[in-house]
Amino acid sequence: MTTSVAWWIGAWAVAFGQDAGGLLTEVDQLGVVGSVLYVAAHPDDENTRLIHWLGRERGLRTAYLSMTRGGGGQNLIGSERTERLSVLRTGELLAARAIDGGQQLFTRMRDFGYSKSPEETLALWGRDEALDDVIRAIRTFRPDIIVTRFSADGGGHGHHTASARLAAEAFERAADPTYEMPGLPPWQARRLLRNESTWRLKEDDPIPEAWMGVDVGTYDPRAGQSAGEVAARARSQHKSQGFGSAPRIGVIDEYFTLTAGEPVVDGDPFGGLDLSWSRFDQSKRVTALLEKIGKRFDLRAPETVLPLLARLHRELDALEDGHWRQVKQRDVEQLMRHCAGIYLSARTSVMAAAPGDRISVVLRAAARREGSVELRGVEGPSFASEIPSWTAKLGKHPAEQTVELVLDADAPISQPHWLITSPTPTRYAVDDPEQRLIADRPPVAVTMTLDIAGVRQAVDVTVVHAITDRVRGEVLRPFEVLPRLTTTFGARGVLVPRGGSVEVPVTLTAPTLTEGTDALTAAWTIEAPVGITVTPTPWPVTLTPEAPERVVHLRIMASDDATAGPVTLRIAGEPAYQRHRIAYPHVPERTVLATAALRVTPVSLDRGAVTRVGYLPGSGDDVAEVLLSVGYNVEILDETQLTAKGLQGFDAVVFGVRAYNTRPGLIAHQSALLEYVAGGGTLIVQYNTSRRWTTLSDAIGPAALQVGRGRVTDEMALVTLEHPKHPMILGPNRLTEADFEGWVQERGLYFAESWDDAYVPLFSMADPGEDAQLGSTLVAAHGKGTFIYTGLSFFRQLPEGIPGAMRLFANLLAGANPRATAQRRRRSRR
């Protein structure tokens, strides 16, 4: 199960080098035959300190099983959401594991957003399917110890509690021989621990007596740093969550309680278990060889132990335990490659090719230390022509071979494997059981077979495209198989005013065109719902290697009786793809493909007197683009414009989600913002997370207002209009409960929990079985204008084309128009 991380550290990085401390660690780890599986719910839930400490200090094979890929959360660094966010967060987990040394596993469960109960979570995931995936992970990884991050007792996020409950049940069921799982025999882990969270304790609370403490902050001279330092770098890979961390130096106590399994000895939650070779009957010769390797290992000449490592590899053939035989032989093979200084690469001059294309791949192989190393052959991917036979005796100077690969006409398009089949709202559709747990796999790889000191081993090497950037240096991207032409809409969905129109850009790209290839001409056609007219169509397009991309602006018009539905593009009669690149420096670059379709929703929309809107982005959302598409004149603001003079002329100013969280200096502009409101403007502040609000206090509005952690996660929860005759309910669009139909994922989050009487709560809503909450949308008159705080998830609803959400947002934008102000004053006098 190391393929995904090896892609990052090995084939992805091209060279298979290892520093001296890493070599020593690998030698030490050969003597330990124990595993730990850490189980939690999302990317960023894992304990990077513990994962690194278990691997480096205790020598234990450690993996993190995340129930989801995190696609239901928010994104601090970009606009990726849902399935694209799952790709980004998968990459962030792989980047973290490449630093802390753990392995990464997943189940098929989707992050469908915040859940208030494990019962809801398990019902939506499918309890049996979720349990089956956890059992599969246990039987595949065969941990001696399972550690859960969360309590099974409930409280907090339902995904968290569900992950702990599933781990506890799977701890028992994985050992049940009546639970059949072809190819995976029963496995009984020996201990189930819960990793306790000290942040739940109050400042003066003592550590509970039942908690067992372990110092994981120990300094490792092999690495020249402690687990607290390594873990901070690993944790900081969760950039989309804003989890950059500072290193901790000194004692770092982690605490555990025993949930099930064998008793703990001497207070050490990871002690008292035989995790040495003595757990196997035929271990004496293995142990003797390990002692010799340890004594003879020379960091200045690591290749001198290659013959002993080859003997150890052969000795492991006799090990009756097939699981550990396979695991340890792979470890020995990796150490042999590192000792021999193996370098392997497969590079092509193009970033992508289409099925049926021919590409040149330059293969290089070297053994940079003395030793008996031979290349015995290379195999290409199954969907390409065979690679000619190539053998070579490897030395310091790379052996090189250029091969021509012809991709099959039906070669699979590169796509993250969990998205090849469309997922359900709560679970990914990965039919192949062997693919269910893996984190990711390289789009295209070749397999090079080596013989090192008589040990034959096959190594997958990702085919990459390399460029040299003048700032970043060498930049590697995975070579991909892509459609010859992609057509990517500039939005997921659009709202079209009835009787009106919107403009949507479509980016046409020929990703496989390269210098010397012929121009590509294709005619694309459009299919649209009844009452929706799209121009121009049909439209032939020609792309060249010099200009492989073109943007076409579609005009989408809706009649008064138009119906909602998808606008789809077809190329030469076949459904077209749209392409989205997940490209950040800290993760492997990936492409996500989907059918070229744009959800079009006609909406009866009155913008009132509002025309000019200023939008200050927060952590990344598409609200400004939606406002622009339905006819508002939207200007993106920066903090230099947040002065009373700079905001003159804007009918309304909107802050994007988490604007105060991502812009620490924003609070300094409050007096100018409130001066703008007092002069007749409307200021709309969308949600901010409460955990970072300690310095903001009540300062964001004209009167006291405190944001809490309240939310309504049921997107169908009943919404009651608290003040049906309030101006923002009456106009410019007359709102009813029907405007809250069809919302997605949630109603909202981070509602206000307390506020001054100056604020009017427009709505009440509640999840099933809970008391109604009033803090989703608060309105306060200030001078001649209006201040609004809203936790409603417009950042999800508007890009999804929810008409009621757009009508409501239009009313909020119109909050300071003269008619509404006069009505509000009359109402206040009553």
Side-chain angles (χ1 to χ4, degrees):
M1 303 302 296
T2 60
T3 302
S4 57
V5 177
W7 174 27
W8 239 97
I9 332 181
W12 175 254
V14 180
F16 288 83
Q18 179 65 283
D19 59 28
L23 285 171
L24 277 175
T25 299
E26 289 183 17
V27 171
D28 294 340
Q29 288 172 335
L30 286 179
V32 182
V33 278
S35 299
V36 177
L37 182 65
Y38 197 91
V39 181
H42 310 107
D44 73 47
D45 283 343
E46 82 278 21
N47 187 330
T48 54
R49 288 193 301 263
L50 182 63
I51 290 172
H52 179 73
W53 179 83
L54 287 169
R56 295 285 290 210
E57 183 73 17
R58 289 293 183 91
L60 295 167
R61 181 169 166 260
T62 308
Y64 173 43
L65 174 64
S66 179
M67 295 298 301
T68 75
R69 294 177 183 267
Q74 287 82 53
N75 183 358
L76 192 67
I77 62 174
S79 60
E80 291 87 0
R81 290 191 298 277
T82 61
E83 68 274 9
R84 295 177 215 163
L85 184 55
S86 80
V87 177
L88 171 57
R89 291 198 172 169
T90 295
E92 289 181 333
L93 274 176
L94 288 177
R97 297 296 80 76
I99 293 170
D100 64 31
Q103 299 179 30
Q104 184 61 53
L105 308 176
F106 287 99
T107 75
R108 292 169 293 166
M109 305 306 112
R110 286 188 77 184
D111 177 3
F112 56 82
Y114 192 90
S115 174
K116 291 186 176 179
S117 74
E119 291 78 17
E120 177 197 49
T121 296
L122 293 172
L124 292 174
W125 278 349
R127 179 187 169 282
D128 292 344
E129 289 82 358
L131 179 63
D132 189 79
D133 282 4
V134 180
I135 291 173
R136 179 173 296 278
I138 293 173
R139 289 187 175 182
T140 300
F141 193 70
R142 295 177 70 180
D144 296 281
I145 298 172
I146 299 173
V147 182
T148 62
R149 182 55 170 163
F150 302 104
S151 169
D153 297 334
H157 201 319
H159 295 181
H160 293 169
T161 305
S163 71
R165 291 185 180 180
L166 289 167
E169 185 172 357
F171 178 81
E172 305 290 344
R173 295 294 300 278
D176 183 356
T178 66
Y179 193 99
E180 296 184 2
M181 189 169 281
L184 292 175
W187 176 256
Q188 178 63 71
R190 301 172 67 181
R191 196 173 285 162
L192 178 64
L193 302 171
R194 181 166 67 241
N195 187 191
E196 301 289 355
S197 299
T198 55
W199 61 266
R200 296 180 184 275
L201 300 175
K202 295 179 181 179
E203 186 175 353
D204 297 328
D205 285 349
I207 299 297
E209 291 185 7
W211 289 17
M212 298 169 283
V214 175
D215 175 18
V216 301
T218 50
Y219 176 78
D220 183 358
R222 296 169 301 183
Q225 54 191 330
S226 66
E229 295 168 281
V230 177
R233 289 192 291 115
R235 183 73 169 166
S236 296
Q237 301 310 303
H238 294 299
K239 299 182 189 302
S240 65
Q241 282 285 74
F243 281 157
S245 300
R248 288 184 59 184
I249 307 297
V251 174
I252 305 174
D253 288 324
E254 289 287 346
Y255 294 95
F256 304 87
T257 54
L258 178 67
T259 303
E262 298 181 17
V264 171
V265 177
D266 296 328
D268 181 357
F270 301 98
L273 304 177
D274 185 2
L275 303 179
S276 68
W277 283 101
S278 62
R279 66 193 293 185
F280 304 116
D281 293 336
Q282 64 275 43
S283 64
K284 289 185 178 179
R285 286 194 288 187
V286 170
T287 303
L289 275 172
L290 288 172
E291 289 178 357
K292 285 184 179 180
I293 291 169
K295 289 178 180 178
R296 296 186 186 179
F297 186 75
D298 183 355
L299 285 173
R300 292 180 177 82
E303 69 277 8
T304 57
V305 297
L306 286 174
L308 285 174
L309 289 172
R311 284 177 56 191
L312 176 60
H313 192 280
R314 291 190 294 271
E315 193 64 47
L316 290 172
D317 284 333
L319 192 65
E320 292 181 2
D321 188 306
H323 169 78
W324 278 110
R325 178 176 64 246
Q326 183 182 55
V327 168
K328 285 303 180 180
Q329 283 188 327
R330 282 202 305 259
D331 290 347
V332 171
E333 291 168 8
Q334 176 178 273
L335 179 56
M336 294 181 78
R337 294 195 296 272
H338 290 162
C339 289
I342 297 297
Y343 173 94
L344 305 173
S345 72
R347 300 189 177 203
T348 181
S349 60
V350 296
M351 289 183 60
D357 283 354
R358 177 189 299 270
I359 63 169
S360 292
V361 179
V362 178
L363 306 174
R364 304 181 81 200
R368 292 167 290 180
R369 302 298 299 182
E370 297 293 335
S372 174
V373 182
E374 295 182 8
L375 175 70
R376 290 297 183 89
V378 182
E379 292 183 7
S382 60
F383 51 82
S385 59
E386 290 187 7
I387 294 177
S389 176
W390 181 37
T391 60
K393 183 173 178 60
L394 300 184
K396 297 178 182 179
H397 299 288
E400 186 173 300
Q401 179 91 328
T402 300
V403 299
E404 300 291 321
L405 285 181
V406 180
L407 307 181
D408 292 347
D410 58 353
I413 298 297
S414 298
Q415 176 85 321
H417 70 277
W418 64 94
L419 297 176
I420 291 174
T421 302
S422 296
T424 72
T426 58
R427 193 164 61 246
Y428 293 110
V430 184
D431 295 330
D432 184 353
E434 294 187 1
Q435 301 292 314
R436 288 180 184 172
L437 301 178
I438 67 172
D440 202 354
R441 58 190 184 194
V444 180
V446 299
T447 302
M448 295 188 179
T449 299
L450 303 174
D451 186 307
I452 304 178
V455 174
R456 185 162 296 196
Q457 47 189 278
V459 184
D460 291 337
V461 181
T462 302
V463 178
V464 298
H465 170 68
I467 62 170
T468 302
D469 183 90
R470 293 180 66 183
V471 175
R472 297 170 60 191
E474 185 175 62
V475 178
L476 303 177
R477 298 187 177 97
F479 166 79
E480 297 176 308
V481 181
L482 297 177
R484 206 167 295 283
L485 179 66
T486 62
T487 55
T488 304
F489 286 105
R492 298 170 67 94
V494 293
L495 292 157
V496 186
R498 293 187 183 277
S501 66
V502 300
E503 188 177 87
V504 178
V506 176
T507 302
L508 297 105
T509 308
T512 64
L513 281 184
T514 58
E515 184 178 352
T517 58
D518 295 333
L520 174 64
T521 301
W524 51 275
T525 57
I526 292 178
E527 297 177 354
V530 174
I532 299 295
T533 304
V534 184
T535 58
T537 182
W539 189 266
V541 61
T542 299
L543 299 174
T544 66
E546 294 75 27
E549 188 168 280
R550 180 178 176 183
V551 177
V552 175
H553 293 273
L554 299 182
R555 176 62 57 181
I556 301 178
M557 295 161 282
S559 65
D560 290 338
D561 58 353
T563 60
V567 166
T568 58
L569 297 182
R570 301 180 74 86
I571 302 291
E574 296 295 326
Y577 285 100
Q578 52 186 349
R579 176 191 180 204
H580 299 276
R581 292 172 58 218
I582 312 300
Y584 294 92
H586 66 297
V587 297
E589 185 171 314
R590 299 293 272 129
T591 291
V592 180
L593 297 169
T595 301
L598 174 75
R599 289 185 301 277
V600 176
T601 306
V603 57
S604 298
L605 182 67
D606 186 343
R607 297 195 303 273
V610 177
T611 57
R612 191 169 179 230
V613 177
Y615 199 95
L616 184 78
S619 63
D621 62 63
D622 302 320
V623 171
E625 288 80 357
V626 175
L627 298 180
L628 185 66
S629 73
V630 296
Y632 291 98
N633 178 8
V634 181
E635 181 178 332
I636 301 300
L637 304 176
D638 60 40
E639 291 185 45
T640 64
Q641 296 169 272
L642 300 184
T643 65
K645 183 177 180 180
L647 296 177
Q648 283 181 358
F650 287 107
D651 299 310
V653 171
V654 183
F655 284 3
V657 295
R658 299 174 73 176
Y660 284 95
N661 300 150
T662 58
R663 298 172 180 266
L666 192 56
I667 195 67
H669 299 279
Q670 287 305 113
S671 60
L673 292 168
L674 292 179
E675 184 178 345
Y676 158 76
V677 175
T682 295
L683 175 61
I684 300 174
V685 174
Q686 297 182 77
Y687 91 88
N688 286 260
T689 56
S690 61
R691 59 187 168 189
R692 300 187 185 183
W693 276 56
T694 52
T695 58
L696 299 181
S697 186
D698 302 324
I700 66 166
L705 180 157
Q706 186 64 47
V707 173
R709 299 185 65 82
R711 63 178 73 205
V712 173
T713 63
D714 184 352
E715 65 270 26
M716 297 182 289
L718 176 66
V719 177
T720 301
L721 308 180
E722 283 294 301
H723 302 279
K725 294 185 179 181
H726 190 280
M728 289 190 187
I729 302 300
L730 296 177
N733 304 282
R734 190 178 186 93
L735 302 178
T736 69
E737 282 82 357
D739 286 297
F740 289 90
E741 295 175 358
W743 285 42
V744 298
Q745 185 160 320
E746 64 200 357
R747 290 297 189 196
L749 62 170
Y750 296 103
F751 292 172
E753 65 180 10
S754 63
W755 53 87
D756 187 270
D757 289 342
Y759 294 97
V760 177
L762 294 185
F763 312 110
S764 65
M765 59 192 73
D767 278 318
E770 295 187 357
D771 294 335
Q773 299 189 57
L774 293 170
S776 69
T777 306
L778 302 180
V779 178
H782 181 61
K784 298 178 182 179
T786 307
F787 173 86
I788 301 165
Y789 175 81
T790 180
L792 294 176
S793 59
F794 290 108
F795 76 103
R796 294 194 193 280
Q797 313 309 322
L798 298 188
E800 293 292 333
I802 307 301
M806 185 66 253
R807 285 162 48 84
L808 169 55
F809 206 83
N811 284 14
L812 298 184
L813 289 170
N817 70 58
R819 177 179 60 83
T821 301
Q823 286 179 339
R824 187 176 299 109
R825 286 174 178 167
R826 288 195 295 272
R827 178 180 178 278
S828 64
R829 285 195 291 268
R830 291 199 299 271

